[in-house]
Amino acid sequence: MFDLMKPISFNIRVLFFIAMAAACVFASCTQAPGEGGRASIVGHVQEEARVLLNDPNTAYPAYPAADENVFLIYGDNVGPDDEIETNHEGNFVFPWLRPGEYTVYVYSEDTSGVTPPRDMAVVRHLTIESATETVVLDTIRIFKDL
């Protein structure tokens, strides 16, 4: 009977080791924000030209901001992870994303009147909740000096 028990205990040890290894692999596979999913972020950028940047009364009607760079940050990363240009209608899309936290930003001329003038980032923070979600951002307005 001793010979029969030895293979059984060996099999139990092997199965336990395999189960623990599989648990470690599955626990380390948490998906971080970024590429590789089926979700997307969609948005629109409008540009408003002003004679005097810090005076809204000198503004012309807003129009689509064509060929503007739009940046995307995955999670809490420091720098931009992706960049795309708006199309001729001011629209953009970041496709194939996984659920998580994201930051979208576009540069605009500063309207505060600070000298010397500088660019400022117009920022939107968002969360993709599900694997197939399409997040539609509110219109992002940027400013340009005439």
Side-chain angles (χ1 to χ4, degrees):
M1 182 154 163
F2 183 76
D3 291 333
L4 293 175
M5 290 302 287
K6 191 169 188 176
I8 292 175
S9 65
F10 174 75
N11 288 338
I12 291 174
R13 287 185 193 141
V14 170
L15 288 175
F16 178 75
F17 177 74
I18 291 172
M20 292 304 291
C24 290
V25 167
F26 287 122
S28 67
C29 287
T30 56
Q31 296 285 333
E35 293 180 348
R38 297 184 321 188
S40 60
I41 300 170
V42 176
H44 178 77
V45 181
Q46 281 189 344
E47 190 170 79
E48 182 180 295
R50 293 180 178 181
V51 176
L52 297 171
L53 271 175
N54 59 352
D55 186 0
N57 294 324
T58 64
Y60 286 89
Y63 51 89
D67 301 323
E68 284 293 328
N69 292 329
V70 182
F71 301 93
L72 180 66
I73 299 174
Y74 306 155
D76 57 359
N77 290 353
V78 176
D81 297 297
D82 202 355
E83 175 185 352
I84 196 163
E85 282 189 356
T86 58
N87 67 8
H88 65 284
E89 294 179 339
N91 299 321
F92 67 89
V93 61
F94 289 103
W96 311 116
L97 299 172
R98 293 190 300 256
E101 303 287 324
Y102 293 89
T103 303
V104 174
Y105 66 97
V106 181
Y107 285 108
S108 171
E109 292 185 31
D110 192 357
T111 59
S112 67
V114 174
T115 51
R118 60 175 192 255
D119 287 343
M120 64 178 195
V122 181
V123 180
R124 300 288 187 272
H125 299 282
L126 64 117
T127 302
I128 295 177
E129 301 285 339
S130 72
T132 58
E133 181 178 6
T134 297
V135 175
V136 180
L137 297 176
D138 292 336
T139 298
I140 299 172
R141 182 164 290 193
I142 61 173
F143 302 95
K144 179 180 179 182
D145 188 17
L146 282 179

